[in-house]
Amino acid sequence: SQQGEEDPQALSIQEGENATMNCSYKTSINNLQWYRQNSGRGLVHLILIRSNEREKHSGRLRVTLDTSKKSSSLLITASRAADTASYFCATDSGSYGKLTFGQGTILTVHP
Amino acid sequence: ETGVTQTPRHLVMGMTNKKSLKCEQHLGHNAMYWYKQSAKKPLELMFVYNFKEQTENNSVPSRFSPECPNSSHLFLHLHTLQPEDSALYLCASSQTTVNEQFFGPGTRLTVL
């Protein structure tokens, strides 16, 4: 069964608003990663958060990790139309290099 | 995206054809990966290579045959595929198998 599951499946917001996407997983992890994919193209790595970390920031991105609840969230602040993409969480559970991806959240930011 | 390149970007093949997908990384990484992305399914890991050695085969059918001649190049040889193999095939690389992965643009494969 898949490890990461994103919620919501789709999110539609206006430019300037914040977007929050959630990811839940089932087993213990070494780290959790967030990726972005523009339509039909390769994935771009956004942030990696290790199991002993609780929060990380990168520009307008903020990722939290709650290992007790086996969940993570990705917050994009002050969204832009260019943020429109699919966002995936992926978990690394220790089988070196074996990332397990969720179904993704489709984010649409309207100008 | 220029760190990891994939060719061809689009491929249409019949079920009896033999073709190969090529991936090249210019990042000096030691690990390379093949993924399959089908519509409405999560991204699926197919193979992992670490220092040219295959370390993971995620129960992939034998009609998909990977080859890693060196740490910079990865191939996926295809033969007698099925229409359900139509998907976006993504290559990725990472410094080691515990680091973030860098993806290529993918090859959109259609099997007729």
Side-chain angles (χ1 to χ4, degrees):
Chain A
S1 61
Q2 65 190 58
Q3 173 75 312
E5 295 187 18
E6 286 92 342
D7 167 56
Q9 292 188 352
L11 182 60
S12 182
I13 60 175
Q14 296 296 129
E15 254 188 340
E17 294 180 341
N18 295 342
T20 299
M21 288 159 269
N22 303 297
C23 171
S24 60
Y25 57 92
K26 295 184 173 70
T27 64
S28 61
I29 60 172
N30 287 336
N31 64 67
L32 185 146
Q33 304 178 33
W34 285 91
Y35 288 83
R36 185 187 77 202
Q37 184 180 34
N38 289 87
S39 181
R41 306 189 69 178
L43 279 70
V44 175
H45 179 264
L46 297 176
I47 285 186
L48 181 153
I49 186 165
R50 303 189 192 284
S51 59
N52 61 352
E53 297 176 310
R54 292 296 167 259
E55 188 171 311
K56 284 190 84 168
H57 298 256
S58 176
R60 294 183 296 113
L61 307 180
R62 172 179 168 246
V63 167
T64 60
L65 179 64
D66 186 335
T67 52
S68 67
K69 295 181 179 177
K70 291 187 170 59
S71 68
S72 174
S73 68
L74 170 67
L75 168 67
I76 304 174
T77 59
S79 64
R80 306 167 182 167
D83 294 328
T84 295
S86 294
Y87 291 81
F88 298 88
C89 69
T91 51
D92 176 351
S93 300
S95 297
Y96 296 98
K98 188 172 181 177
L99 290 182
T100 304
F101 284 80
Q103 289 268 21
T105 294
I106 301 171
L107 173 66
T108 304
V109 182
H110 300 280
Chain B
E1 282 187 6
T2 55
V4 181
T5 58
Q6 290 186 245
T7 55
R9 293 293 303 273
H10 300 271
L11 179 61
V12 179
M13 59 186 289
M15 290 189 285
T16 58
N17 291 159
K18 289 184 180 181
K19 296 287 184 182
S20 296
L21 309 184
K22 179 183 176 182
C23 175
E24 183 173 1
Q25 58 97 359
H26 312 272
L27 302 168
H29 289 167
N30 297 307
M32 296 188 77
Y33 312 80
W34 279 117
Y35 288 89
K36 176 184 179 183
Q37 187 175 35
S38 306
K40 308 216 185 278
K41 291 180 69 175
L43 198 65
E44 299 172 77
L45 177 68
M46 300 175 73
F47 302 102
V48 180
Y49 277 82
N50 193 28
F51 291 95
K52 302 188 300 178
E53 299 298 320
Q54 187 182 120
T55 57
E56 181 76 33
N57 176 338
N58 201 23
S59 303
V60 180
S62 60
R63 58 186 184 270
F64 295 90
S65 175
E67 178 190 1
C68 187
N70 54 62
S71 291
S72 299
H73 294 85
L74 186 64
F75 296 89
L76 188 63
H77 304 300
L78 317 170
H79 62 98
T80 59
L81 294 192
Q82 305 297 313
E84 58 263 32
D85 297 322
S86 298
L88 182 68
Y89 288 85
L90 293 162
C91 173
S93 71
S94 60
Q95 182 62 47
T96 71
T97 53
V98 297
N99 296 110
E100 62 269 31
Q101 297 179 18
F102 293 77
F103 283 78
T107 294
R108 174 69 62 187
L109 174 66
T110 303
V111 182
L112 302 177

Coordinates of all heavy atoms in Angstrom, one line a residue, chain A residues 23-99:
Chain A
C23 N 0.3 15.6 4.2 CA 0.7 14.3 3.8 C 0.7 13.4 5.0 O 1.2 13.8 6.1 CB 2.1 14.4 3.2 SG 3.0 12.9 2.9
S24 N 0.1 12.2 4.9 CA 0.1 11.3 5.9 C 0.8 10.0 5.4 O 0.8 9.7 4.3 CB -1.3 10.9 6.4 OG -2.1 10.4 5.3
Y25 N 1.5 9.3 6.4 CA 2.2 8.1 6.0 C 2.0 7.1 7.1 O 1.5 7.4 8.1 CB 3.7 8.4 5.8 CG 4.4 9.1 6.9 CD1 5.1 8.3 7.9 CD2 4.4 10.4 7.1 CE1 5.7 8.9 8.9 CE2 5.1 11.0 8.2 CZ 5.7 10.2 9.1 OH 6.4 10.8 10.2
K26 N 2.5 5.8 6.8 CA 2.1 4.7 7.6 C 3.2 4.2 8.5 O 3.0 3.8 9.6 CB 1.5 3.6 6.8 CG 0.2 3.9 6.1 CD -0.4 2.8 5.4 CE -1.8 3.0 4.8 NZ -1.7 4.0 3.7
T27 N 4.4 4.1 7.9 CA 5.5 3.5 8.7 C 6.5 4.5 9.1 O 6.5 5.7 8.7 CB 6.2 2.4 7.8 OG1 6.8 3.1 6.7 CG2 5.2 1.4 7.3
S28 N 7.5 4.1 9.9 CA 8.5 5.1 10.4 C 9.4 5.5 9.2 O 9.5 4.7 8.2 CB 9.4 4.4 11.5 OG 10.0 3.3 11.0
I29 N 10.0 6.7 9.3 CA 10.7 7.2 8.1 C 12.1 7.7 8.6 O 12.3 8.1 9.8 CB 10.0 8.3 7.5 CG1 9.7 9.5 8.4 CG2 8.7 7.8 6.8 CD1 9.1 10.7 7.8
N30 N 13.0 7.8 7.6 CA 14.3 8.5 7.9 C 14.1 10.0 7.5 O 14.7 10.8 8.2 CB 15.4 7.9 7.0 CG 15.8 6.6 7.5 OD1 15.7 6.2 8.7 ND2 16.4 5.7 6.6
N31 N 13.4 10.2 6.4 CA 13.1 11.6 6.0 C 11.9 11.6 5.2 O 11.4 10.6 4.7 CB 14.3 12.3 5.3 CG 14.7 11.6 4.0 OD1 13.9 11.7 3.0 ND2 15.8 11.0 3.9
L32 N 11.4 12.8 5.0 CA 10.2 13.1 4.1 C 10.6 14.2 3.2 O 11.2 15.2 3.6 CB 9.0 13.4 5.0 CG 7.7 13.5 4.2 CD1 6.5 13.0 5.0 CD2 7.4 15.0 3.8
Q33 N 10.2 14.1 1.9 CA 10.6 15.1 0.9 C 9.4 15.6 0.2 O 8.4 14.8 0.0 CB 11.6 14.4 -0.1 CG 12.8 13.8 0.6 CD 13.8 13.2 -0.4 OE1 13.9 13.6 -1.5 NE2 14.5 12.1 0.1
W34 N 9.4 16.8 -0.2 CA 8.4 17.4 -1.0 C 8.9 17.7 -2.4 O 10.0 18.3 -2.5 CB 7.8 18.6 -0.3 CG 6.9 18.3 0.8 CD1 7.2 18.2 2.1 CD2 5.5 18.1 0.8 NE1 6.1 17.9 2.9 CE2 5.0 17.9 2.1 CE3 4.5 18.1 -0.3 CZ2 3.7 17.6 2.4 CZ3 3.2 17.8 0.0 CH2 2.8 17.6 1.4
Y35 N 8.1 17.4 -3.4 CA 8.5 17.7 -4.8 C 7.4 18.4 -5.5 O 6.2 18.2 -5.1 CB 8.8 16.4 -5.5 CG 10.1 15.7 -5.1 CD1 10.1 14.8 -4.0 CD2 11.2 15.8 -5.9 CE1 11.3 14.2 -3.7 CE2 12.4 15.2 -5.5 CZ 12.4 14.3 -4.4 OH 13.6 13.7 -4.1
R36 N 7.7 19.1 -6.5 CA 6.7 19.8 -7.4 C 6.9 19.3 -8.8 O 8.0 19.0 -9.3 CB 7.0 21.3 -7.4 CG 5.9 22.1 -8.1 CD 6.3 23.6 -8.2 NE 7.3 23.8 -9.2 CZ 8.1 24.8 -9.2 NH1 8.1 25.8 -8.3 NH2 9.0 25.0 -10.2
Q37 N 5.8 19.2 -9.5 CA 5.8 18.7 -10.9 C 4.9 19.6 -11.7 O 3.7 19.7 -11.4 CB 5.4 17.3 -11.0 CG 5.5 16.8 -12.5 CD 5.0 15.3 -12.6 OE1 4.2 14.8 -11.9 NE2 5.7 14.6 -13.5
N38 N 5.4 20.3 -12.7 CA 4.6 21.0 -13.7 C 4.1 20.0 -14.7 O 4.8 19.0 -14.9 CB 5.4 22.1 -14.3 CG 5.7 23.2 -13.3 OD1 6.7 23.2 -12.6 ND2 4.8 24.2 -13.3
S39 N 3.0 20.3 -15.3 CA 2.3 19.3 -16.1 C 3.1 18.5 -17.0 O 3.8 19.1 -17.9 CB 1.2 20.1 -16.9 OG 0.4 19.2 -17.6
G40 N 3.2 17.2 -16.8 CA 3.8 16.3 -17.7 C 5.3 16.4 -17.8 O 6.0 15.9 -18.7
R41 N 5.9 17.0 -16.8 CA 7.4 17.2 -16.8 C 8.0 16.5 -15.6 O 7.3 15.9 -14.8 CB 7.7 18.7 -16.8 CG 7.0 19.4 -17.9 CD 7.5 20.8 -18.1 NE 8.9 20.9 -18.6 CZ 9.5 22.0 -18.8 NH1 8.9 23.1 -18.6 NH2 10.8 22.0 -19.3
G42 N 9.3 16.7 -15.4 CA 10.0 16.0 -14.3 C 9.7 16.7 -13.0 O 9.2 17.8 -12.9
L43 N 10.0 16.0 -11.9 CA 9.8 16.5 -10.6 C 11.0 17.4 -10.2 O 12.1 17.2 -10.5 CB 9.6 15.4 -9.6 CG 8.3 14.7 -9.5 CD1 8.0 13.9 -10.7 CD2 8.2 13.9 -8.2
V44 N 10.6 18.4 -9.4 CA 11.7 19.3 -8.8 C 11.6 19.2 -7.3 O 10.6 19.3 -6.7 CB 11.4 20.8 -9.2 CG1 12.4 21.7 -8.5 CG2 11.5 20.9 -10.7
H45 N 12.8 18.9 -6.7 CA 12.9 18.8 -5.3 C 12.7 20.1 -4.6 O 13.3 21.1 -5.0 CB 14.2 18.2 -4.9 CG 14.4 18.0 -3.4 ND1 15.0 18.9 -2.6 CD2 14.0 17.0 -2.6 CE1 15.0 18.5 -1.4 NE2 14.4 17.4 -1.3
L46 N 11.9 20.2 -3.5 CA 11.6 21.4 -2.8 C 12.3 21.4 -1.5 O 13.1 22.3 -1.2 CB 10.1 21.6 -2.6 CG 9.3 21.7 -3.9 CD1 7.8 21.8 -3.5 CD2 9.7 22.9 -4.7
I47 N 12.0 20.5 -0.6 CA 12.5 20.4 0.7 C 12.6 19.0 1.2 O 11.8 18.2 0.9 CB 11.6 21.2 1.7 CG1 11.8 22.7 1.5 CG2 11.9 20.9 3.2 CD1 11.0 23.5 2.6
L48 N 13.7 18.7 2.0 CA 13.9 17.4 2.7 C 13.9 17.7 4.2 O 14.6 18.6 4.6 CB 15.2 16.8 2.2 CG 15.5 15.4 2.8 CD1 16.4 14.6 1.9 CD2 16.2 15.5 4.2
I49 N 13.0 17.0 4.9 CA 13.0 17.2 6.4 C 13.3 15.8 7.0 O 12.7 14.8 6.6 CB 11.6 17.8 6.8 CG1 11.7 18.1 8.3 CG2 10.5 16.9 6.5 CD1 10.6 19.0 8.8
R50 N 14.2 15.8 7.9 CA 14.6 14.5 8.5 C 13.7 14.2 9.7 O 13.0 15.1 10.2 CB 16.1 14.6 9.0 CG 17.0 15.0 7.9 CD 18.5 14.8 8.2 NE 19.3 15.5 7.2 CZ 19.5 14.9 6.0 NH1 19.0 13.7 5.7 NH2 20.3 15.5 5.1
S51 N 13.7 13.0 10.1 CA 12.8 12.5 11.1 C 13.0 13.2 12.5 O 12.1 13.2 13.3 CB 12.9 11.0 11.3 OG 14.2 10.6 11.7
N52 N 14.2 13.7 12.7 CA 14.4 14.4 14.0 C 14.2 15.9 13.9 O 14.5 16.6 14.8 CB 15.8 14.1 14.5 CG 16.9 14.6 13.5 OD1 16.6 15.0 12.4 ND2 18.1 14.5 14.0
E53 N 13.7 16.4 12.8 CA 13.4 17.8 12.6 C 11.9 18.0 12.7 O 11.1 17.1 12.3 CB 13.9 18.3 11.3 CG 15.5 18.2 11.2 CD 16.0 18.6 9.8 OE1 15.5 18.1 8.8 OE2 16.9 19.4 9.8
R54 N 11.5 19.2 13.1 CA 10.0 19.5 13.2 C 9.6 20.5 12.2 O 8.4 20.5 11.8 CB 9.7 19.9 14.6 CG 9.9 18.8 15.6 CD 8.9 17.7 15.4 NE 9.3 16.5 16.2 CZ 9.9 15.5 15.7 NH1 10.2 15.4 14.4 NH2 10.1 14.4 16.4
E55 N 10.5 21.3 11.7 CA 10.1 22.4 10.8 C 11.3 22.8 10.0 O 12.4 22.9 10.5 CB 9.5 23.6 11.6 CG 8.9 24.7 10.8 CD 8.2 25.7 11.7 OE1 7.4 25.3 12.6 OE2 8.4 26.9 11.5
K56 N 11.0 23.1 8.7 CA 12.0 23.7 7.9 C 11.4 24.8 7.0 O 10.2 24.7 6.6 CB 12.7 22.6 7.0 CG 13.7 21.7 7.7 CD 14.5 20.9 6.8 CE 15.7 21.6 6.3 NZ 16.6 20.7 5.6
H57 N 12.3 25.8 6.6 CA 11.8 26.8 5.8 C 12.7 26.9 4.6 O 13.9 26.7 4.6 CB 11.8 28.2 6.5 CG 11.0 28.2 7.7 ND1 9.7 28.9 7.7 CD2 11.0 27.7 8.9 CE1 9.2 28.8 8.9 NE2 9.9 28.0 9.6
S58 N 12.1 27.3 3.4 CA 12.9 27.6 2.3 C 12.1 28.7 1.5 O 11.1 28.4 0.8 CB 13.2 26.4 1.4 OG 13.8 26.7 0.2
G59 N 12.6 29.9 1.5 CA 11.9 31.0 0.9 C 10.4 31.1 1.3 O 10.2 31.2 2.5
R60 N 9.5 30.9 0.4 CA 8.0 31.0 0.8 C 7.5 29.6 1.2 O 6.3 29.5 1.4 CB 7.2 31.5 -0.4 CG 7.6 33.0 -0.8 CD 6.7 33.5 -2.0 NE 6.9 32.7 -3.2 CZ 6.1 31.9 -3.8 NH1 4.9 31.7 -3.3 NH2 6.4 31.3 -4.9
L61 N 8.3 28.7 1.3 CA 7.9 27.3 1.7 C 8.2 27.1 3.2 O 9.3 27.4 3.7 CB 8.6 26.3 0.8 CG 8.5 26.4 -0.7 CD1 9.3 25.3 -1.3 CD2 7.1 26.5 -1.1
R62 N 7.2 26.4 3.8 CA 7.4 26.0 5.2 C 6.9 24.6 5.3 O 5.7 24.3 4.9 CB 6.7 26.9 6.2 CG 6.7 26.4 7.6 CD 5.9 27.4 8.5 NE 5.7 26.8 9.8 CZ 4.5 26.6 10.3 NH1 3.4 26.8 9.6 NH2 4.4 26.0 11.5
V63 N 7.7 23.7 5.8 CA 7.3 22.3 6.0 C 7.4 21.9 7.4 O 8.4 22.3 8.1 CB 8.3 21.4 5.2 CG1 8.1 19.9 5.6 CG2 8.0 21.5 3.7
T64 N 6.4 21.2 7.9 CA 6.4 20.7 9.3 C 6.3 19.2 9.2 O 5.8 18.6 8.3 CB 5.2 21.3 10.1 OG1 4.0 20.9 9.5 CG2 5.3 22.8 10.2
L65 N 6.8 18.6 10.3 CA 6.8 17.1 10.4 C 6.4 16.7 11.8 O 7.0 17.2 12.8 CB 8.1 16.5 10.0 CG 8.2 15.0 10.1 CD1 7.3 14.3 9.1 CD2 9.7 14.6 9.9
D66 N 5.4 15.9 11.9 CA 4.9 15.4 13.2 C 5.0 13.9 13.1 O 4.1 13.2 12.6 CB 3.5 15.9 13.5 CG 3.0 15.5 14.9 OD1 3.6 14.5 15.5 OD2 2.1 16.2 15.4
T67 N 6.1 13.3 13.7 CA 6.3 11.9 13.6 C 5.3 11.1 14.5 O 5.0 9.9 14.2 CB 7.7 11.5 13.9 OG1 8.1 12.1 15.2 CG2 8.7 12.0 12.9
S68 N 4.8 11.8 15.5 CA 3.9 11.0 16.4 C 2.5 10.8 15.7 O 1.9 9.8 15.9 CB 3.6 11.8 17.7 OG 3.0 13.1 17.4
K69 N 2.2 11.8 14.8 CA 1.0 11.6 14.0 C 1.2 11.1 12.6 O 0.3 10.9 11.8 CB 0.3 13.0 13.9 CG -0.2 13.5 15.2 CD -0.9 14.9 15.0 CE -1.4 15.4 16.3 NZ -2.1 16.7 16.2
K70 N 2.5 10.9 12.3 CA 2.9 10.4 11.0 C 2.3 11.3 9.9 O 1.6 10.9 9.0 CB 2.5 8.9 10.7 CG 3.3 8.0 11.6 CD 3.0 6.5 11.2 CE 3.9 5.6 11.9 NZ 3.9 5.6 13.3
S71 N 2.6 12.6 10.0 CA 2.0 13.5 9.1 C 3.0 14.7 8.8 O 3.8 15.0 9.7 CB 0.7 14.1 9.5 OG 0.8 14.9 10.7
S72 N 2.8 15.3 7.7 CA 3.7 16.5 7.3 C 2.8 17.5 6.6 O 1.7 17.1 6.0 CB 4.8 16.1 6.4 OG 5.5 17.2 5.9
S73 N 3.1 18.7 6.6 CA 2.4 19.7 5.9 C 3.4 20.6 5.1 O 4.5 20.9 5.6 CB 1.5 20.6 6.8 OG 2.3 21.4 7.6
L74 N 2.9 21.1 4.0 CA 3.7 22.0 3.1 C 2.8 23.3 3.0 O 1.7 23.2 2.6 CB 3.9 21.5 1.7 CG 4.5 22.4 0.7 CD1 5.9 22.9 1.1 CD2 4.5 21.8 -0.7
L75 N 3.4 24.4 3.4 CA 2.7 25.7 3.4 C 3.4 26.5 2.3 O 4.7 26.7 2.4 CB 2.7 26.4 4.7 CG 2.2 27.9 4.7 CD1 0.8 28.0 4.4 CD2 2.5 28.5 6.1
I76 N 2.7 27.0 1.4 CA 3.2 28.0 0.4 C 2.6 29.4 0.7 O 1.4 29.5 0.7 CB 3.0 27.6 -1.0 CG1 3.5 26.2 -1.3 CG2 3.6 28.6 -2.0 CD1 3.1 25.7 -2.7
T77 N 3.4 30.3 1.1 CA 2.8 31.6 1.5 C 2.8 32.6 0.3 O 3.6 32.4 -0.7 CB 3.6 32.3 2.6 OG1 5.0 32.5 2.2 CG2 3.6 31.4 3.9
A78 N 1.9 33.5 0.3 CA 1.8 34.5 -0.8 C 1.9 33.9 -2.2 O 2.8 34.2 -2.9 CB 2.9 35.6 -0.6
S79 N 1.0 33.0 -2.5 CA 1.1 32.2 -3.7 C 1.1 33.0 -4.9 O 0.6 34.1 -5.0 CB 0.0 31.1 -3.7 OG -1.2 31.8 -3.8
R80 N 1.7 32.5 -6.0 CA 1.8 33.1 -7.3 C 1.2 32.2 -8.3 O 1.2 30.9 -8.1 CB 3.2 33.5 -7.6 CG 3.9 34.3 -6.6 CD 5.4 34.3 -6.9 NE 6.1 35.1 -5.8 CZ 7.4 35.0 -5.7 NH1 8.2 34.3 -6.5 NH2 8.0 35.7 -4.7
A81 N 0.8 32.7 -9.5 CA 0.3 31.8 -10.6 C 1.3 30.8 -11.0 O 1.0 29.7 -11.3 CB -0.1 32.7 -11.8
A82 N 2.6 31.1 -10.9 CA 3.7 30.2 -11.2 C 3.8 29.0 -10.3 O 4.5 28.1 -10.6 CB 5.0 31.0 -11.3
D83 N 3.1 29.1 -9.1 CA 3.1 28.0 -8.2 C 2.2 26.9 -8.6 O 2.1 25.8 -8.0 CB 2.7 28.5 -6.8 CG 3.8 29.4 -6.2 OD1 5.0 29.2 -6.5 OD2 3.4 30.3 -5.4
T84 N 1.4 27.1 -9.6 CA 0.4 26.1 -10.2 C 1.2 24.9 -10.6 O 2.1 25.0 -11.5 CB -0.4 26.7 -11.3 OG1 -1.2 27.7 -10.8 CG2 -1.3 25.6 -12.0
A85 N 0.9 23.8 -10.0 CA 1.6 22.5 -10.2 C 1.0 21.4 -9.4 O 0.1 21.7 -8.6 CB 3.1 22.7 -9.9
S86 N 1.6 20.2 -9.5 CA 1.2 19.1 -8.6 C 2.3 19.0 -7.6 O 3.5 19.2 -7.9 CB 1.1 17.8 -9.4 OG 0.0 17.8 -10.2
Y87 N 1.9 18.8 -6.3 CA 2.9 18.7 -5.2 C 2.8 17.3 -4.6 O 1.7 16.8 -4.3 CB 2.6 19.8 -4.2 CG 2.9 21.2 -4.7 CD1 2.0 21.8 -5.5 CD2 4.2 21.8 -4.5 CE1 2.3 23.1 -6.1 CE2 4.4 23.0 -5.0 CZ 3.5 23.7 -5.8 OH 3.8 24.9 -6.3
F88 N 4.0 16.7 -4.5 CA 4.0 15.3 -4.0 C 4.9 15.2 -2.7 O 6.0 15.9 -2.6 CB 4.7 14.4 -5.0 CG 3.9 14.2 -6.3 CD1 4.1 15.1 -7.3 CD2 3.0 13.3 -6.4 CE1 3.4 15.0 -8.5 CE2 2.3 13.1 -7.6 CZ 2.5 14.0 -8.7
C89 N 4.5 14.4 -1.8 CA 5.4 14.1 -0.7 C 5.9 12.7 -0.9 O 5.3 11.9 -1.6 CB 4.7 14.1 0.7 SG 3.4 12.8 1.0
A90 N 7.1 12.4 -0.5 CA 7.8 11.2 -0.7 C 8.5 10.8 0.6 O 9.1 11.6 1.2 CB 8.7 11.2 -1.8
T91 N 8.3 9.6 1.0 CA 9.0 9.1 2.3 C 10.1 8.2 2.0 O 10.1 7.3 1.1 CB 7.9 8.4 3.2 OG1 7.3 7.4 2.4 CG2 6.9 9.4 3.7
D92 N 11.2 8.3 2.7 CA 12.3 7.5 2.7 C 12.3 6.7 4.0 O 12.5 7.2 5.1 CB 13.6 8.3 2.6 CG 14.9 7.5 2.7 OD1 14.8 6.3 3.0 OD2 15.9 8.1 2.5
S93 N 12.0 5.4 3.9 CA 11.9 4.6 5.1 C 13.1 3.7 5.4 O 13.0 2.8 6.2 CB 10.6 3.7 5.0 OG 9.5 4.5 4.8
G94 N 14.2 4.0 4.7 CA 15.4 3.4 5.1 C 15.9 2.3 4.1 O 17.0 1.8 4.3
S95 N 15.1 2.0 3.1 CA 15.6 1.1 2.0 C 16.2 2.0 1.0 O 15.7 2.5 0.1 CB 14.4 0.4 1.4 OG 13.7 -0.5 2.3
Y96 N 17.5 2.2 1.2 CA 18.3 3.3 0.6 C 17.9 3.6 -0.8 O 18.0 2.8 -1.7 CB 19.8 2.9 0.7 CG 20.2 2.9 2.1 CD1 20.3 1.7 2.8 CD2 20.5 4.0 2.8 CE1 20.7 1.6 4.1 CE2 20.9 4.0 4.1 CZ 21.0 2.8 4.7 OH 21.4 2.7 6.1
G97 N 17.4 4.8 -1.0 CA 17.0 5.3 -2.3 C 15.6 5.0 -2.7 O 15.1 5.4 -3.7
K98 N 14.9 4.2 -1.9 CA 13.6 3.8 -2.3 C 12.6 4.8 -1.7 O 12.1 4.6 -0.6 CB 13.3 2.4 -1.7 CG 12.0 1.8 -2.3 CD 11.8 0.3 -1.9 CE 10.5 -0.2 -2.4 NZ 10.3 -1.6 -2.1
L99 N 12.3 5.8 -2.5 CA 11.2 6.8 -2.1 C 9.9 6.2 -2.5 O 9.7 5.7 -3.5 CB 11.5 8.1 -2.8 CG 12.7 8.9 -2.3 CD1 12.7 10.2 -3.1 CD2 12.6 9.2 -0.9

